[in-house]
Amino acid sequence: VPIVPPTTYPTYNPTPNPVDVPIVPPTFPPSYPPSYPPSKSPVDVPTTPAPTPIVDTEGCNWFYWGGDEGRGTVVGENQEVPEFQDDEIIDLSAGSRHTFIIDENGLAYVSGFIESFYSYQGHHGIERGMLSEGANDFMTVNTVIDGMGSTVPSPNFIKVYAGAGAPGDSRDMHSLLIDQSGNVYTAGNNDMGQLCHGDTESRDVFQQINSLPGPAVAAAVGLDFTLILLDDGQVFGCGSNENGELGLGSDVHFTTTPDNSNGLRDIVDVSAGLNFGLYLQSIGENGGKVFGSGSNLFSQLCESTEGDPVDVPMELNVENVKSIMAGRESSYYLYENGSVQSCGRNDEGQLGDGTYVDSDKPVKVDLSKNTKIHTLGSGPSSQSVFFIADEDVVYGAGQNYRYQLGIGKIESQKFPVLVEFDDAPGRHEITKISSSGSHTVAISCLIITETPTAYPTISPTMNPSLYPTASPTEYPTENPTEMPTAYPTITPTMNPSL
């Protein structure tokens, strides 16, 4: 029997072959708003302001200027303007005729000038046999003495405080390092017990202080005394208290072990001049209080005592302070509004008020009206001071006989003058400045700017007001009779078997 094809097609609607039947979207909009989130069309995205760029820093290097012997090169020559150094570092400190840096891996390095081993007491923290009289290039602090008295490889350090002496002096000084666990190490002169080891024996190699009750977060080094700030806000002192440097009263002349009987609590920062100390207490919304003790020969504690020292911490006549900095015999106070005041010795114009007159009261540093300072820089042997504003905008004042202000000429400056950092590659920000009596160093961090995406990164494919993006089975069922069909209901004209 021959097979005869049917003369009619099936009465059901076969599933169309997508290849043969074009997909045509519905020609009417749904009669109800869809309850699913529609995909957005660019016309539906509200207009918003351009996103604010995110500014961050990475990869910090450093600058050097002033007397060259501070970095172990030619004695008597000077670097007249800031010179870029491409080492990546996390901290640095300028001492009298020497410099410490800590690199990105936590290794400490030291360079500088040693007059003679007869007077040298070990402030470099390097075994004496590895050093030489005269200039010493940067060398690694490879070993330390731990709390058990054993010589061990150096830990990873995070902060350093170089020694302070009279200008040109490289003898009776000591230095301090803090590692990433908050342990403290000291080396150098110890004739007043300033190394905090319970004796008066000087050390050529850094040795851990094993009598602190907790981890340290900061420290300060003066001529022959040491201040150590712990993470609980207590301040411990060692060394000379002859001028009240440690705030231990007139009956204590020195101490060889850490002592916190100064009554200070809730301290968040410390700073040391040559023979005095400053303490910043708990910063609130409006800043903090400042206390001071020690020598007040030049009224560096912002109050006249007729030259008598202050042997216990007294509250200073400043308030709402954000940051403190001590110079050799001057002090500086940064306020929440970005302004700065100073007091004390001013023979080199280091108060920055436009005079050479000492002041026993806080005087305003003469900066332009719209300049807001965020960081102060100086050091315990320095008669220069630096004021850091936005990014690489830095002003300096004070002593400049060795180009330690970095302005290309030698002459003390009683008004803050601009310090230019033209040598740095790319956009950068100065984050710290440390100065000694003859040279200055600064940390410079590369600025990275990222612009966040302003709009969704998924490109819309259709206007939700015209075409739903979900399949019919995903539509709401409240009005099923009004649900649009997914495909046309016309009868296909092709043979379904094809």
Side-chain angles (χ1 to χ4, degrees):
V1 178
I3 300 174
V4 180
T7 59
T8 60
Y9 293 111
T11 58
Y12 59 86
N13 291 332
T15 302
N17 188 325
V19 175
D20 300 315
V21 181
I23 299 174
V24 181
T27 59
F28 58 90
S31 58
Y32 55 89
S35 59
Y36 55 86
S39 62
K40 293 210 178 219
S41 165
V43 298
D44 297 316
V45 178
T47 302
T48 57
T52 301
I54 299 172
V55 179
D56 201 358
T57 59
E58 70 174 20
C60 298
N61 306 105
W62 62 294
F63 283 89
Y64 184 99
W65 64 96
D68 271 336
E69 60 268 29
R71 56 178 167 179
T73 56
V74 181
V75 178
E77 294 192 359
N78 304 304
Q79 176 61 42
E80 297 181 6
V81 295
E83 182 179 64
F84 181 76
Q85 315 292 313
D86 61 3
D87 314 280
E88 292 199 0
I89 69 168
I90 59 174
D91 198 22
L92 47 61
S93 183
S96 299
R97 307 182 88 180
H98 68 287
T99 302
F100 277 91
I101 64 172
I102 299 177
D103 73 10
E104 59 181 344
N105 298 312
L107 293 174
Y109 301 81
V110 62
S111 69
F113 180 81
I114 297 175
E115 287 186 35
S116 74
F117 283 134
Y118 177 78
S119 57
Y120 173 73
Q121 298 296 315
H123 62 271
H124 281 216
I126 300 283
E127 291 182 5
R128 191 170 294 229
M130 300 175 65
L131 300 169
S132 61
E133 292 184 345
N136 289 267
D137 200 357
F138 278 102
M139 301 181 68
T140 311
V141 179
N142 285 317
T143 61
V144 298
I145 299 173
D146 66 13
M148 303 298 293
S150 301
T151 300
V152 298
S154 295
N156 293 329
F157 297 111
I158 58 172
K159 293 186 178 182
V160 61
Y161 304 86
D169 179 32
S170 64
R171 294 179 282 186
D172 296 341
M173 293 181 286
H174 67 293
S175 306
L176 183 149
L177 289 162
I178 300 178
D179 71 17
Q180 61 184 2
S181 298
N183 298 310
V184 181
Y185 304 78
T186 53
N189 183 42
N190 195 33
D191 59 351
M192 301 293 284
Q194 56 264 47
L195 300 187
C196 307
H197 297 307
D199 56 43
T200 56
E201 179 183 349
S202 298
R203 266 85 168 167
D204 285 348
V205 177
F206 283 101
Q207 180 170 341
Q208 181 180 345
I209 300 173
N210 57 13
S211 55
L212 292 170
V217 295
V221 168
L223 177 64
D224 50 11
F225 70 100
T226 302
L227 302 173
I228 302 171
L229 174 62
L230 301 190
D231 63 352
D232 61 359
Q234 294 187 80
V235 177
F236 285 79
C238 307
S240 174
N241 192 54
E242 290 183 343
N243 294 296
E245 297 96 322
L246 306 181
L248 302 179
S250 58
D251 294 335
V252 178
H253 298 288
F254 71 96
T255 176
T256 62
T257 57
D259 191 324
N260 73 330
S261 56
N262 46 42
L264 295 167
R265 298 294 181 269
D266 300 322
I267 302 301
V268 295
D269 197 13
V270 294
S271 187
L274 202 62
N275 297 107
F276 72 101
L278 299 176
Y279 318 92
L280 178 60
Q281 187 180 63
S282 59
I283 301 177
E285 289 185 3
N286 298 317
K289 298 178 180 180
V290 180
F291 295 82
S293 66
S295 173
N296 198 36
L297 186 62
F298 297 93
S299 299
Q300 56 261 53
L301 298 180
C302 296
E303 184 175 323
S304 175
T305 57
E306 297 182 353
D308 293 335
V310 176
D311 52 35
V312 295
M314 72 172 183
E315 185 174 348
L316 306 189
N317 187 29
V318 291
E319 57 184 14
N320 302 332
V321 174
K322 176 184 177 182
S323 180
I324 57 175
M325 178 60 63
R328 177 172 169 153
E329 291 122 351
S330 311
S331 58
Y332 305 89
Y333 309 94
L334 171 62
Y335 297 94
E336 290 289 338
N337 63 3
S339 65
V340 183
Q341 288 187 316
S342 57
C343 63
R345 190 173 184 177
N346 198 29
D347 60 324
E348 299 284 349
Q350 60 263 50
L351 297 188
D353 67 339
T355 76
Y356 292 104
V357 179
D358 298 349
S359 178
D360 61 3
K361 292 180 174 55
V363 294
K364 185 177 181 180
V365 173
D366 196 333
L367 296 160
S368 63
K369 183 178 180 180
N370 296 324
T371 300
K372 295 185 182 301
I373 303 303
H374 65 72
T375 305
L376 304 172
S378 190
S381 62
S382 178
Q383 291 182 275
S384 310
V385 62
F386 297 87
F387 311 100
I388 306 175
D390 294 336
E391 295 186 12
D392 64 345
V393 179
V394 175
Y395 299 91
Q399 192 176 66
N400 193 37
Y401 77 106
R402 295 292 304 275
Y403 296 93
Q404 54 264 60
L405 292 184
I407 58 175
K409 61 182 180 180
I410 50 173
E411 185 179 358
S412 295
Q413 301 293 316
K414 62 183 179 179
F415 291 104
V417 293
L418 183 66
V419 183
E420 297 183 356
F421 296 83
D422 297 331
D423 214 10
R427 186 180 170 199
H428 64 281
E429 178 180 12
I430 303 299
T431 60
K432 178 181 179 178
I433 295 181
S434 174
S435 59
S436 74
S438 58
H439 75 285
T440 307
V441 292
I443 295 179
S444 170
C445 298
L446 185 65
I447 296 177
I448 304 298
T449 303
E450 298 179 1
T451 303
T453 303
Y455 303 117
T457 57
I458 300 176
S459 300
T461 57
M462 62 182 68
N463 189 320
S465 65
L466 297 178
Y467 311 123
T469 58
S471 63
T473 57
E474 294 176 296
Y475 286 4
T477 58
E478 288 86 347
N479 300 299
T481 59
E482 297 178 14
M483 184 185 303
T485 57
Y487 300 104
T489 58
I490 61 173
T491 303
T493 59
M494 73 286 188
N495 189 322
S497 64
L498 299 175

